[in-house]
């Protein structure tokens, strides 16, 4: 299994690096130490300060951060953060530890950051906590050379803040954990039937009305009779808070992709602005889960004016190249009976309501292109004709991703069978209420984002994969962590580590050690035994 790698090919790092070569001897942390940073990059300097803060938790260690010029002869001792003269792979790095020097050479600044995350995982877990660090003695890391880069460019984790709302503090913590595992894309699901969570200056009712529901379903929502808790619920992010999260993520090399759902899952928006629905309302912010017939009217120009104005503010807040426009689970019931929608079908020469949805998405894509942005949509956007430049997020199965890739579209794999972290992770009898399904850690780990039947050319369209955390049955931050971890760690390794180096049993051994770190960080992960 381990052919092609010399020395000890396993590390304690998760995700497992591409190549590890262990050597005799070790590097000791102690006393006055220099941390050299190449060049003047602000973010790189920021990473150096983070590392300094962490290492100075070791009793007796004092770190002096010094700048050195790229190309200058290398400092023989200390810790060095440098950039490669000839970058090899985006986000890649070499971590070279000898008895005299710990050197991280990134192919870019993100690479240095990931090298630091690997070094962090070679250090004692106690370092994660200021208190526990104070008892550390004689901290060393074994000499080693690690060469590493990701298998996939898109390594995503999603969070639904519509069904339940999670504050900025928790979102930052969620991002911190992603970064520890070298995940680089946060898909922020910001609008839902049950709540609109992003302040839009031009439409204040979206949050004054749309961010609040009068009560919430109790128990499972699959069939009546329904019971409710009678307690108003809601919350939203101000634009300042959104900017704060985006900036925080950028320091962790995480891109934040916002999702503004359309044409379905729009009840909260309709409750605020009922003229945007086919019937004109009145509508209520949803209080139970599922799919609702009332969606944005595709016949009304008002709908497009509204969405373009909303997106205008969204693109100002999010530098991400991609904007996710939803597109999933949009019933056609209202459109069939709406004269405006039927007029649109006739005027545009569309065959049916599926083509009307396609018209909707194409029109939004065209608008976002004028802002130099690209769209991602859930795989339903394949129906009725795909928007020309859309990236497809395949959730109903890898088949949908195969279909899109063969049409020459980029794909992010997020199939329910491997990537839905709202599914049960063990026998439901032993677990808190969840939406259903069964997705144990091993199923996540087994996932191959590149289906074997894809040709090499089509496989290039698979950008990566994403874990989805839908929160109907996750009312608290602790519960979100319980469902996301450790499954998100398995996905992180699927997306980073070369497939030939993946091995579930061996992963579990490393995970066992790694969970000590999560314990110290206070993560409420699911414990399998
Ligand atoms: C989805 O799970 N409805 C994308
Ligand atoms: Zn309509």
């Amino acid at each position: 299994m381990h052919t092609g790698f010399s020395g000890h090919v396993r590390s304690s790092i998760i995700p497992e690096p591409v190549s590890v070569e262990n050597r005799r001897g070790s590097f000791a942390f102690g006393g006055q130490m220099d941390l050299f940073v190449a060049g003047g990059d602000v973010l790189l300097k920021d990473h150096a300060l983070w590392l300094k803060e962490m290492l100075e938790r070791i009793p007796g260690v004092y770190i002096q951060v010094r700048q050195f010029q790229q190309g200058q002869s290398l400092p023989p001792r200390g810790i060095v953060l440098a950039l490669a003269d000839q970058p090899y792979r985006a986000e890649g790095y070499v971590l070279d530890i000898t008895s005299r020097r710990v050197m991280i050479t990134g192919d870019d600044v993100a690479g240095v950051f990931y090298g630091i995350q690997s070094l962090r995982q070679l250090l004692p877990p106690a370092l994660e906590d200021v208190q526990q660090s104070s008892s550390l003695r004689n901290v060393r890391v074994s000499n080693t050379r690690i060469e590493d880069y990701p298998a996939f460019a898109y390594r995503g984790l999603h969070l639904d803040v519509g069904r339940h709302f999670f504050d900025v503090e928790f979102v930052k913590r969620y991002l911190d954990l992603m970064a520890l595992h070298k995940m680089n894309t946060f898909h922020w699901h910001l609008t839902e039937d049950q709540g609109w969570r992003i302040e839009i200056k031009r439409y204040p009712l979206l949050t004054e009305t749309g961010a609040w529901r009068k009560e919430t379903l109790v128990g499972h929502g699959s069939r009546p009779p329904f019971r409710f808790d009678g307690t108003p619920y809601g919350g939203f992010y101000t634009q300042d808070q959104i900017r704060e999260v985006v900036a925080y993520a950028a320091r962790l090399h995480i891109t934040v992709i916002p999702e503004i759902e359309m044409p379905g899952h729009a009840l909260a928006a309709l409750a605020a602005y009922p003229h945007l629905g086919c019937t004109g309302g009145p509508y209520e912010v949803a209080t139970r889960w599922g799919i609702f017939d009332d969606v944005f009217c595709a016949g009304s120009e008002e709908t497009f004016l509204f969405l373009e104005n909303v997106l205008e503010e969204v693109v100002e807040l999010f530098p991400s190249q991609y904007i996710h426009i939803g597109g999933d689970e949009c019933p056609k019931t209202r459109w069939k009976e709406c004269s405006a929608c039927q007029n649109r079908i006739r005027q545009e020469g569309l065959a049916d309501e599926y083509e009307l949805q396609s018209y909707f998405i194409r029109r939004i894509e065209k608008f976002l292109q004028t802002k130099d942005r690209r769209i991602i949509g859930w795989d339903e956007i394949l129906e009725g004709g795909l928007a020309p430049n859309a990236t497809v997020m395949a959730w109903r199965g890898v088949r949908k991703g195969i279909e899109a890739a063969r049409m020459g579209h980029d794909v992010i794999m997020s199939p329910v069978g491997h990537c839905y972290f709202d599914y049960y992770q063990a026998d439901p009898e032993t677990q808190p209420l969840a939406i259903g399904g069964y997705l144990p850690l091993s199923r996540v780990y087994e996932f191959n984002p590149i289906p074997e039947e894809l040709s090499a050319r089509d496989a290039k369209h698979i950008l990566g994969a994403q874990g989805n955390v839908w929160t109907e049955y996750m009312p608290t931050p602790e519960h979100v962590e319980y469902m996301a971890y450790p499954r998100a760690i398995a996905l992180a390794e699927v997306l980073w580590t070369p497939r030939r180096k993946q091995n579930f049993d061996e992963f579990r051994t490393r995970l066992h050690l790694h969970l000590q770190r999560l314990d110290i960080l206070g993560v409420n992960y699911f414990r399998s035994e």
Side-chain angles (χ1 to χ4, degrees), residues 34-52 63-72 74-75 78-83 102 104 109 112 116:
D34 290 321
L35 197 174
F36 296 93
V37 189
D41 187 278
V42 175
L43 195 48
L44 197 54
K45 190 90 177 282
D46 186 66
H47 298 339
L49 293 175
W50 184 91
L51 184 58
K52 167 186 158 78
I63 305 273
Q64 177 91 47
V65 176
R66 301 179 188 277
Q67 197 161 317
F68 84 100
Q69 293 313 311
Q70 196 78 38
Q72 214 173 299
L74 278 175
I79 303 154
V80 182
L81 304 183
L83 290 168
V102 171
I104 296 170
V109 178
V112 175
I116 293 173

Side-chain angles (χ1 to χ4, degrees), residues 10-178:
R10 298 295 174 182
S11 67
S12 58
I13 297 168
I14 295 189
E16 173 70 31
V18 171
S19 146
V20 179
E21 193 188 314
N22 288 341
R23 299 162 175 161
R24 273 205 302 274
S26 61
F27 179 93
F29 293 89
Q32 189 79 41
M33 308 183 83
D34 290 321
L35 197 174
F36 296 93
V37 189
D41 187 278
V42 175
L43 195 48
L44 197 54
K45 190 90 177 282
D46 186 66
H47 298 339
L49 293 175
W50 184 91
L51 184 58
K52 167 186 158 78
E53 197 278 326
M54 181 120 182
L55 293 174
E56 285 186 338
R57 293 176 185 179
I58 302 168
V61 169
Y62 304 95
I63 305 273
Q64 177 91 47
V65 176
R66 301 179 188 277
Q67 197 161 317
F68 84 100
Q69 293 313 311
Q70 196 78 38
Q72 214 173 299
S73 62
L74 278 175
R77 287 183 180 278
I79 303 154
V80 182
L81 304 183
L83 290 168
D85 294 328
Q86 292 176 311
Y88 176 51
R89 305 249 190 174
E91 305 180 283
Y93 67 92
V94 174
L95 168 57
D96 190 65
I97 302 175
T98 63
S99 304
R100 286 149 65 95
R101 189 173 68 199
V102 171
M103 178 148 171
I104 296 170
T105 310
D107 289 306
D108 47 28
V109 178
V112 175
F113 179 76
Y114 292 133
I116 293 173
Q117 296 312 311
S118 291
L119 174 61
R120 174 184 180 185
Q121 292 191 24
L122 296 175
L123 288 161
L127 264 189
E128 301 291 341
D129 180 76
V130 175
Q131 229 69 52
Q132 295 192 36
S133 303
S134 63
S135 58
L136 285 170
R137 295 286 174 274
N138 199 12
V139 173
R140 293 176 165 272
V141 284
S142 296
N143 292 348
T144 186
R145 182 181 168 87
I146 293 174
E147 297 185 11
D148 204 13
Y149 53 83
F152 290 94
Y154 188 111
R155 305 182 301 280
L157 195 61
H158 149 286
L159 184 64
D160 165 17
V161 297
R163 274 54 176 265
H164 284 100
F165 178 71
F166 301 95
D167 66 15
V168 167
E169 192 190 354
F170 177 69
V171 172
K172 287 181 176 175
R173 182 176 159 85
Y174 200 70
L175 293 166
D176 286 338
L177 286 176
M178 285 176 64

Side-chain angles (χ1 to χ4, degrees), residues 278 297-299 335 338 341:
C278 291
C297 176
W335 291 359
C338 170
C341 286

